[in-house]
Amino acid sequence: MGATKEVVVRLTKYKNVLEKLRSLGFVKVFSDNLADAVGVSPALVRKDFSVFGLTGKKRAGYQVEELIARLNHILGVDEVQRVIVVGCGKIGTALMRYRGFARERIRVIAGFDVDPAKVDPNAPIPIRDINELPYVVKSEKVRVAILAVPETAAAQVAEMLVSAGIKGILNFAPILLKGSRDVVVQNINIALELENLFCLLRFAEEHPEEERP
Amino acid sequence: MGATKEVVVRLTKYKNVLEKLRSLGFVKVFSDNLADAVGVSPALVRKDFSVFGLTGKKRAGYQVEELIARLNHILGVDEVQRVIVVGCGKIGTALMRYRGFARERIRVIAGFDVDPAKVDPNAPIPIRDINELPYVVKSEKVRVAILAVPETAAAQVAEMLVSAGIKGILNFAPILLKGSRDVVVQNINIALELENLFCLLRFAEEHPEEERP
DNA sequence: TAGATTGTTAATCGATTAACAATC
DNA sequence: TAGATTGTTAATCGATTAACAATC
């Protein structure tokens, strides 16, 4: 069994590197090159590929173009991925307009907020009342939501998302949401990441000889 | 050797749970409780604690108050942690005012941008010209920076940060920055997280019997 | 051909867990 | 005391890597 979270994360990284190589005019690539770029061992690159039946040619490496196409297929990003942003505070609004999404074929189709003052159905990316969420999710067949509400509302809104039929949540609220059989959750806790950074820093300073994680 | 990134991440999670338990009036806690809250095994909680010499009492568990104090000390968050935000676009500005930081004793002391129109040294959190960065980092002894510049500028600005003496970078730019002996890097690639989410979702749908990562 | 690189197997490594003696 | 929980050891598990035969 290969499709662990770690493998998926690496496949996505390989793909991103490959796209950069392609834009530089590369036609073929060796496991060695990808390993260096992503920071893993060449053996792991080949192993990851073999799990998904991605093959190369001995001595000739892998075809960049073909590899990208097949990775896109495996990763299911052949087509545009549609998401909604729930909570249009500062973080939410920034995410709605985040430029990095377009390049990855991710499109934010709507934002939602409880505050009537924020609602604006005619904006380029409409902001709608949160009560309309279940209806929109159903009619637009949205499967993934970005959750950017305050901590106090997070658990409750998350439940609402799940019962509306959302299958994946990228959670920016500073609370550890747990996945279930009904929903996959990815938590991004910014303050926690910073805390960890300070902490890793301290350990790095105390034990300068050890290698970096 | 225990202080891997994973252990540090878990210690921070334990601490956050403990703070919530404390606010609920808990005085003692068992490894079992913490394990459930964080989603790991009780044995792992005890192991993590023993690595850092955190001991409890058999049958009486751990003292919440004391445990928090000692975790804070171990994690080095006894005092206020000061950071700067580099790049004051939408994400950067949102991060400068992020409420989640205050609770974790993280303070953004300044923002930096290349755009003179954004510079505002008299704002509550001043925004300064990026050329002043090396000076500010030195005089204010800043060790950690949040990088929120566009992809095209990221590598170059990161180098500038390192030569200015920054020791830790939380990178929001959609580029995989690598750490070195001089700097610890934590990458948060929002688009990549979303892509992974879509992908995990697909695998979860194809293999409904398997457990969640 | 000689040399290089893949695909895969077996070995290694590290992290997690089961289990249990100690003991409150 | 009996029962419960810690702290730790040994076993397990899974992921990574080393190594090498196949072969281009």
Side-chain angles (χ1 to χ4, degrees):
Chain A
M1 231 305 299
T4 65
K5 191 170 168 179
E6 282 73 25
V7 179
V8 170
V9 169
R10 284 199 301 269
L11 288 185
T12 313
K13 284 181 182 169
Y14 300 145
K15 202 203 69 179
N16 286 337
V17 170
L18 283 164
E19 279 169 350
K20 275 177 192 146
L21 291 176
R22 176 172 61 181
S23 74
L24 291 170
F26 277 57
V27 171
K28 67 178 184 185
V29 66
F30 301 121
S31 56
D32 228 24
N33 311 136
L34 288 172
D36 286 344
V38 172
V40 301
S41 76
L44 188 55
V45 174
R46 299 199 296 274
K47 181 113 204 194
D48 286 343
F49 284 1
S50 84
V51 168
F52 292 92
L54 296 166
T55 58
K57 294 257 200 292
K58 292 178 207 284
R59 226 177 98 76
Y62 303 83
Q63 296 294 310
V64 172
E65 194 61 49
E66 189 197 330
L67 201 48
I68 292 175
R70 299 186 61 188
L71 279 172
N72 276 332
H73 183 72
I74 289 165
L75 296 170
V77 289
D78 279 342
E79 59 219 63
V80 172
Q81 309 281 4
R82 292 145 68 253
V83 304
I84 55 175
V85 170
V86 183
C88 299
K90 297 206 187 63
I91 298 273
T93 315
L95 290 172
M96 283 179 72
R97 297 174 198 162
Y98 182 54
R99 282 153 186 262
F101 286 159
R103 205 162 32 94
E104 304 294 334
R105 303 210 210 172
I106 291 162
R107 187 157 69 217
V108 179
I109 63 162
F112 292 89
D113 207 287
V114 272
D115 182 358
K118 283 184 181 156
V119 171
D120 180 3
N122 301 316
I125 301 174
I127 296 183
R128 314 182 69 164
D129 188 284
I130 195 150
N131 291 317
E132 296 176 30
L133 190 144
Y135 164 72
V136 175
V137 166
K138 260 143 211 152
S139 64
E140 300 279 340
K141 297 194 176 62
V142 183
R143 293 158 69 241
V144 171
I146 298 174
L147 185 59
V149 302
E151 177 177 11
T152 46
Q156 189 199 339
V157 175
E159 243 176 79
M160 178 189 183
L161 291 175
V162 176
S163 56
I166 286 291
K167 297 296 177 195
I169 298 176
L170 185 64
N171 173 39
F172 280 88
I175 188 181
L176 189 69
L177 282 188
K178 286 196 187 138
S180 68
R181 212 146 38 76
D182 294 329
V183 67
V184 178
V185 176
Q186 196 97 290
N187 291 290
I188 297 185
N189 190 328
I190 300 170
L192 192 137
E193 300 282 348
L194 256 185
E195 252 191 272
N196 288 335
L197 185 56
F198 277 109
C199 190
L200 287 171
L201 209 55
R202 238 169 52 96
F203 287 123
E205 280 164 5
E206 283 167 15
H207 313 283
E209 72 288 357
E210 284 159 37
E211 89 285 40
R212 239 14 83 87
Chain B
M1 232 303 298
T4 66
K5 191 170 167 177
E6 282 72 26
V7 179
V8 171
V9 169
R10 284 199 301 271
L11 288 184
T12 313
K13 285 181 181 170
Y14 300 144
K15 201 203 69 181
N16 287 336
V17 170
L18 284 164
E19 279 169 350
K20 273 175 195 151
L21 292 177
R22 175 173 61 181
S23 74
L24 290 170
F26 277 57
V27 171
K28 67 179 182 184
V29 66
F30 302 120
S31 56
D32 227 23
N33 310 137
L34 287 173
D36 286 345
V38 172
V40 300
S41 76
L44 189 54
V45 174
R46 298 199 297 273
K47 182 112 204 195
D48 286 342
F49 284 2
S50 83
V51 168
F52 291 93
L54 297 166
T55 59
K57 293 259 199 292
K58 291 179 209 283
R59 225 175 99 77
Y62 303 83
Q63 296 294 311
V64 172
E65 194 62 49
E66 188 196 332
L67 201 47
I68 292 176
R70 297 187 63 187
L71 279 171
N72 276 332
H73 183 70
I74 289 164
L75 296 169
V77 290
D78 278 342
E79 59 218 64
V80 172
Q81 308 282 4
R82 291 146 69 254
V83 304
I84 54 175
V85 170
V86 183
C88 298
K90 298 206 185 63
I91 300 273
T93 315
L95 291 171
M96 282 178 72
R97 295 173 198 164
Y98 183 54
R99 280 153 185 264
F101 286 159
R103 206 163 30 93
E104 304 296 334
R105 303 210 209 171
I106 290 163
R107 188 158 70 215
V108 179
I109 63 161
F112 292 89
D113 207 287
V114 272
D115 182 358
K118 284 184 180 155
V119 171
D120 180 3
N122 301 315
I125 300 174
I127 297 183
R128 315 181 70 163
D129 189 284
I130 194 150
N131 291 317
E132 296 177 29
L133 190 143
Y135 164 73
V136 174
V137 166
K138 259 144 212 152
S139 64
E140 299 280 339
K141 296 195 178 60
V142 183
R143 293 160 67 239
V144 171
I146 298 175
L147 186 59
V149 300
E151 179 178 9
T152 45
Q156 188 200 338
V157 175
E159 242 176 80
M160 178 189 181
L161 292 175
V162 175
S163 56
I166 286 292
K167 297 297 179 196
I169 299 177
L170 184 63
N171 173 38
F172 280 87
I175 189 183
L176 189 69
L177 283 187
K178 289 198 184 133
S180 67
R181 212 146 41 76
D182 294 329
V183 67
V184 178
V185 177
Q186 197 97 288
N187 290 289
I188 297 185
N189 189 327
I190 301 169
L192 192 137
E193 299 281 349
L194 256 186
E195 254 191 271
N196 288 335
L197 185 55
F198 277 108
C199 189
L200 287 170
L201 209 53
R202 238 170 52 96
F203 288 122
E205 280 164 4
E206 284 166 15
H207 313 284
E209 72 288 354
E210 284 157 38
E211 88 285 36
R212 238 15 82 86

